[in-house]
Amino acid sequence: MATNIGMMDSAYFVGRNEILGWINDRLHLNLSRIEEVASGAVQCQMLDMTFPGVVPMHKVNFAAKNEYEMIQNYKVMQEVFTKLKITKPLEVNRLVKGRPLDNLEFLQWLKRFCDSINGGIMNENYNPVERRSRGGKEKSVKGSSKISKSLQTNNTHPPPPVTASSKPTGPKQARSQAIGGGSNSSAEVQALSKELEDLKVSVDILEKERDFYFSKLRDIEILCQTPELDDLPIVVAVKKILYATDANESVLEEAQECLNESLGIEVEEEEEEEEDEAEEAGTRI
């Protein structure tokens, strides 16, 4: 199983639209944004489809909105990882924030992992809608319907009599305030919609920029693997940075030291050659 995948793997070049299409096709969903999977429920069901019976779907909450609810889904996922001996770390604190890039990277890994099981062939007997109905979403929907029914029951009771102290004193003023509040709400919705559109554009730009730099790094890696260049000092230094597992400043320092040492040796050799040439010229004079 492909549990450990390097950042230069082709899995991380899979685009957002392809990932969403893969999820929607397999789980019969209609997701349009990567942020919609931040709760971890979709990832749990993808694992449930790949390893039937391993994921306790009754513990998965598809209606999770708050971070503490999402964290419960990731606890379920971590238990599944432990059962399957998957060593991929779950960065829950970053995933529950709903940031597109963090969730996209995890989904890219998940797709590669699921595709590596049985050649990515989908289980034809798996019914994603039926399996979801056993999770927390249906329970929450039933609970909300009960609440709404109770509210309707309460609304059937006659309202309490209006006393002199509770009677509104300014109907025109209240009406104008309600109208003003409605216009303010409409303006807020428009502002939020515009902000959302701007964020989508920013995300698309970031994804294109990310793919661009990944392709550049891949080209550099291929060039460094050329046998004729493999032992060059600059190539050795670049490989130290390229294959570093952690974003650590010491890696850059080590690469610089390695390069400086090799260049220093070359400078000393050039100085010795110049001294020898000067001595030979002196003896001739």
Side-chain angles (χ1 to χ4, degrees), residues 20-154:
L20 290 173
W22 173 66
I23 294 173
N24 291 333
D25 179 62
R26 295 295 178 91
L27 301 184
H28 298 175
L29 293 171
N30 190 26
L31 304 180
S32 60
R33 297 179 301 160
I34 292 295
E35 303 94 299
E36 294 179 71
V37 305
S39 70
V42 169
Q43 294 89 319
C44 286
Q45 188 167 15
M46 293 301 301
L47 291 170
D48 181 66
M49 182 190 68
T50 308
F51 299 95
V54 175
V55 181
M57 290 297 292
H58 64 281
K59 294 183 179 180
V60 179
N61 184 3
F62 280 87
K65 299 295 182 183
N66 300 313
E67 288 190 11
Y68 71 88
E69 294 175 322
M70 299 178 183
I71 289 173
Q72 296 302 316
N73 288 339
Y74 284 101
K75 286 183 178 179
V76 174
M77 195 185 309
Q78 185 61 68
E79 291 175 0
V80 174
F81 276 24
T82 303
K83 288 180 182 178
L84 299 175
K85 297 181 180 180
I86 298 174
T87 57
K88 170 75 174 176
L90 282 176
E91 298 179 348
V92 179
N93 292 333
R94 297 176 64 179
L95 294 172
V96 295
K97 299 297 182 183
R99 289 181 290 197
L101 289 179
D102 293 331
N103 283 276
L104 177 61
E105 286 184 3
F106 185 76
L107 289 174
Q108 288 169 331
W109 171 87
L110 182 63
K111 183 179 186 303
R112 177 60 180 272
F113 173 75
C114 293
D115 288 346
S116 68
I117 308 299
N118 299 326
I121 299 174
M122 183 177 177
N123 184 0
E124 296 180 355
N125 296 324
Y126 185 82
N127 188 332
V129 178
E130 181 182 352
R131 287 292 289 167
R132 274 198 299 277
S133 68
R134 301 178 184 178
K137 184 174 182 180
E138 188 180 29
K139 293 179 181 178
S140 65
V141 171
K142 289 181 179 178
S144 62
S145 63
K146 290 179 181 178
I147 294 172
S148 62
K149 287 180 180 179
S150 64
L151 289 174
Q152 291 174 0
T153 305
N154 293 334

